Amino acid sequence: MKVRPSRSWTTVLHLIVISGLIVEAIEPVSTSLLLGTGAAVLGRKLYHYLYETCDENWLKFNATGLKHDLDKKLYGQHVAHQVILKAVTGFMNNENPKKPLVLSLHGWTGTGKNFVSQLIAENIYQKGMKSNFVHLFTATAHFPHEAHIDKYKTHLQEWIRGNVSICPRSMFIFDEMDKMHPGLIDSIKPYLDFYDNLNGVSYRQAIFIFLSNSGGEKIVEVALDFWKEGKEREEINLKDLEVALSLSVFNNKNSGFWHTSLIDKNLVDFFVPFLPLEYKHVIQCGLAEMVSKGHAPDKEVVETMARDLNYFPKEERVFSMQGCKVIPARLDFYV
């Protein structure tokens, strides 16, 4: 969890004086502006420029940017693309939402769940995932011991309440929900509900995103059925998966969503399925990774790497077992 430094106005004004960069920027201005109201106004502007604040200087939704990123960077996930774009855009354009946006992303590892969370953050916060208003929790790192679950509940509630008090448009990402202790996530249920405010704090502008491998088997089952019936994967719709996916997660005793009130009370706005990736999508990921590493895209190299990965069913080799997750490390071996 990130701890934010606090600075008094005295410190900020002191920075104005001692920073060579800032002094150079205001050098032509009369020194009288550094006195009284002028100094306060100038200090505030510099503070908002230098230090992340919860306003439009650092936080502004880019709907066009999100669409472009999903179009160009997310491979093989037409269902997730459609749901994420509509859900996030609709929520961010609503000046008075009735509840926070709650998304639950499901699918096998390497299918793009973490990547999509990153794209959402990058198109809302200027600093993306590094923003002080984006909070990432990983089950095995932040909540490792079942014996401490009551302490975790208290700390989690305090962390969310405190950070939403600072910035109503905060984002909370919970990774490895399939490894989270059942019952823990119920502790934040009041913050996800249809309340105007709780003890003076409104959570309606916040965003909660849950990432999980659970339900992946159900998604793969549907994708395989479509393939066996000779249907295109693009024919798969949200309605083919969402109900079965939510029930699968709700009844999975090894999931952090097991019998959770978040599902029981319909507080999750969308269960978003991430389909298993095919060979062609692995190629797309590989070419993009080459570019990101500063190499000229070489399809022959990427195809050699892709052929060496594992696929299922074993004979037909339709779907990748690792998705795109292993590509950054594997690609170095072939380049």
Side-chain angles (χ1 to χ4, degrees), residues 145-210:
H145 306 295
E146 188 173 7
H148 298 158
I149 189 169
D150 289 334
K151 182 172 69 174
Y152 296 151
K153 287 180 179 180
T154 301
H155 288 172
L156 187 56
Q157 289 172 336
E158 291 174 349
W159 184 258
I160 292 174
R161 182 168 57 247
N163 281 284
V164 173
S165 298
I166 295 170
C167 184
R169 185 70 83 186
S170 292
M171 179 185 291
F172 302 91
I173 303 170
F174 295 84
D175 197 6
E176 299 182 340
M177 280 299 296
D178 47 303
K179 298 181 177 66
M180 188 171 287
H181 305 296
L184 174 58
I185 207 65
D186 277 344
S187 66
I188 69 169
K189 182 255 182 188
Y191 307 143
L192 276 58
D193 216 328
F194 292 82
Y195 295 118
D196 182 42
N197 70 77
L198 292 169
N199 296 321
V201 180
S202 175
Y203 299 87
R204 290 183 169 190
Q205 293 187 57
I207 298 174
F208 294 82
I209 302 177
F210 302 106

Side-chain angles (χ1 to χ4, degrees), residues 22 32 69 73 89 94 106 111 122 137 160-161 188 191 220 225 254 283 297 302 325:
I22 300 174
S32 63
D69 286 346
K73 300 178 181 179
T89 301
N94 185 351
H106 297 265
T111 51
E122 288 176 351
F137 300 92
I160 292 174
R161 182 168 57 247
I188 69 169
Y191 307 143
V220 169
D225 286 344
N254 297 317
I283 298 296
V302 173
K325 193 163 191 175

Side-chain angles (χ1 to χ4, degrees), residues 61-75 81-82 84-86 88-89 115-116 119-120 122-123:
F61 178 54
N62 184 356
T64 303
L66 179 60
K67 183 179 186 305
H68 176 271
D69 286 346
L70 292 172
D71 285 343
K72 302 298 182 181
K73 300 178 181 179
L74 182 65
Y75 307 119
H81 176 299
Q82 189 176 53
I84 294 294
L85 183 60
K86 288 185 176 180
V88 175
T89 301
F115 183 58
V116 163
L119 294 181
I120 295 172
E122 288 176 351
N123 285 286

